[in-house]
Amino acid sequence: MFWSDFHFDGLTLAYLTTGFAMTLLAVWNGHRTLRGHKQWPRFVCTVVFFCAGYGLTIFSGGLKTLLLGWEVMGIASFLLIILHRESTRGISAKAFFIYRLGDVGLLLAMWASHHLWRENTSLVSFLLVATASMQSSQLPFFSWLPQALENASTASAILLTTLTAQMGVFLLLRTSPFWEHQVSVRVLIALLGLAGAAMAAGFARAQSSVKRRIAYISMAHTGLIFIEVAAGFKNLALMHIAANAFLNAYRLLVPPPLVGPTVGERIVSNNKTWEDRLPKKLKYTVYMLYTKEWGLYSRLSRYLRQ
């Protein structure tokens, strides 16, 4: 029966509540900023398509239904990125490339779960972790979310950063019976989250674009959520996901002040960061690496141009 492929539990309820709130915020902002423009009808249709895929994914009771919703949501996210087509030509190709890699990983995990489950359970778990890492823009697939948000409308950015990028965590939580008894897989998830959180936090401090900074802050929080999932704190991870979503939506909806404090109002801080304690040459080297994002984005761009 078709209905037997659906499942409702606390995980579904948490994602459903967060998704409903974020979708309302995105549609409200889109109504304010896009209504009357040629992108408005396209945005409404894409949001409906996105919600259909999101609902299929979070209500899925098996990998087949999850893959169907995953595909629909991926296509809708790609359409949200190219909503302003004149400014997202190269970026949409990079996001589409990483999405396709994630779909291949999920397909291979489905195949392996049917044919190689008894022989090699670690392979299935590794493929699921790799797919989750791609979807959540974690290492080594760091580049797609900051690039997508930088050129997306605020309404699209809300959906991309609060819902799309968190589906990797949903995949880990939904498929936890596959890997939760494998210590090596849990250590791998924790290491990916730790490395991703550390690098994203550094990248965020070197950004001049508000949306890129928000993207990297979101990725740093997602890395911490990976650690919580690996440690078995699932309820804490769900609360962190909801808090991160609302915080990112607030940052996107409330622009930073355009005028800084005057000379008389300037606050002098004597707090030193850990970079200030480094030798000057090493400090500049670290800053340049963070500014250039350790070459992760340039390597992917070079590969896609070939």
Side-chain angles (χ1 to χ4, degrees):
M1 292 292 292
F2 177 73
W3 295 108
S4 63
D5 292 333
F6 291 94
H7 180 70
F8 184 86
D9 57 2
L11 175 62
T12 305
L13 179 62
Y15 267 82
L16 180 63
T17 305
T18 304
F20 180 74
M22 294 301 105
T23 304
L24 285 181
L25 286 174
V27 172
W28 171 75
N29 181 264
H31 184 271
R32 289 182 56 206
T33 58
L34 298 176
R35 187 172 177 84
H37 296 78
K38 62 180 181 180
Q39 291 90 356
W40 172 245
R42 197 190 313 157
F43 174 76
V44 173
C45 295
T46 304
V47 168
V48 172
F49 195 49
F50 180 91
C51 291
Y54 185 81
L56 278 173
T57 304
I58 65 174
F59 281 99
S60 60
L63 286 179
K64 293 180 180 178
T65 312
L66 191 147
L67 178 62
L68 176 61
W70 194 276
E71 286 288 333
V72 174
M73 193 175 172
I75 296 171
S77 299
F78 176 73
L79 294 175
L80 287 172
I81 294 173
I82 65 171
L83 191 66
H84 299 280
R85 295 171 182 171
E86 62 278 359
S87 60
T88 56
R89 292 175 183 174
I91 295 148
S92 57
K94 299 174 183 65
F96 186 76
F97 173 76
I98 294 177
Y99 266 114
R100 293 302 93 190
L101 279 180
D103 294 341
V104 170
L106 192 56
L107 278 170
L108 289 175
M110 288 179 57
W111 177 83
S113 66
H114 286 289
H115 298 281
L116 301 176
W117 174 247
R118 295 181 181 178
E119 292 82 2
N120 195 343
T121 56
S122 299
L123 176 61
V124 179
S125 302
F126 173 77
L127 290 170
L128 292 172
V129 172
T131 303
S133 181
M134 295 177 202
Q135 183 73 11
S136 293
S137 194
Q138 294 295 299
L139 282 175
F141 310 98
F142 241 39
S143 62
W144 76 264
L145 184 61
Q147 294 297 320
L149 255 64
E150 186 177 20
N151 293 273
S153 64
T154 301
S156 298
I158 291 173
L159 295 176
L160 290 171
T161 191
T162 62
L163 299 183
T164 300
Q166 297 302 326
M167 295 313 293
V169 181
F170 176 85
L171 179 65
L172 291 178
L173 291 172
R174 179 60 80 205
T175 60
S176 58
F178 286 99
W179 54 264
E180 62 183 355
H181 301 297
Q182 302 178 46
V183 177
S184 59
V185 177
R186 299 181 73 157
V187 170
L188 174 62
I189 296 172
L191 289 176
L192 284 174
L194 179 62
M199 293 187 71
F203 292 159
R205 297 178 62 186
Q207 299 302 313
S208 58
S209 168
V210 174
K211 287 184 178 178
R212 286 179 69 89
R213 183 180 177 88
I214 292 172
Y216 279 120
I217 292 174
S218 175
M219 289 158 58
H221 279 282
T222 304
L224 296 177
I225 294 170
F226 268 47
I227 298 174
E228 295 162 1
V229 171
F233 302 130
K234 297 181 180 179
N235 291 332
L236 177 62
L238 290 176
M239 289 189 289
H240 197 164
I241 289 167
N244 186 37
F246 281 97
L247 182 61
N248 288 330
Y250 172 78
R251 285 173 172 154
L252 288 166
L253 290 171
V254 180
L258 297 177
V259 180
T262 61
V263 177
E265 297 173 341
R266 196 166 295 161
I267 299 173
V268 179
S269 176
N270 294 322
N271 295 330
K272 290 187 176 182
T273 63
W274 65 271
E275 295 100 329
D276 296 327
R277 297 179 175 87
L278 297 175
K280 188 170 291 186
K281 287 186 177 180
L282 182 58
K283 177 181 175 181
Y284 291 158
T285 302
V286 171
Y287 176 76
M288 289 302 298
L289 285 172
Y290 278 131
T291 302
K292 295 183 179 296
E293 299 170 344
W294 291 73
L296 294 173
Y297 175 65
S298 59
R299 290 191 186 97
L300 179 61
S301 302
R302 202 178 309 122
Y303 174 79
L304 290 175
R305 280 197 295 264
Q306 293 176 357

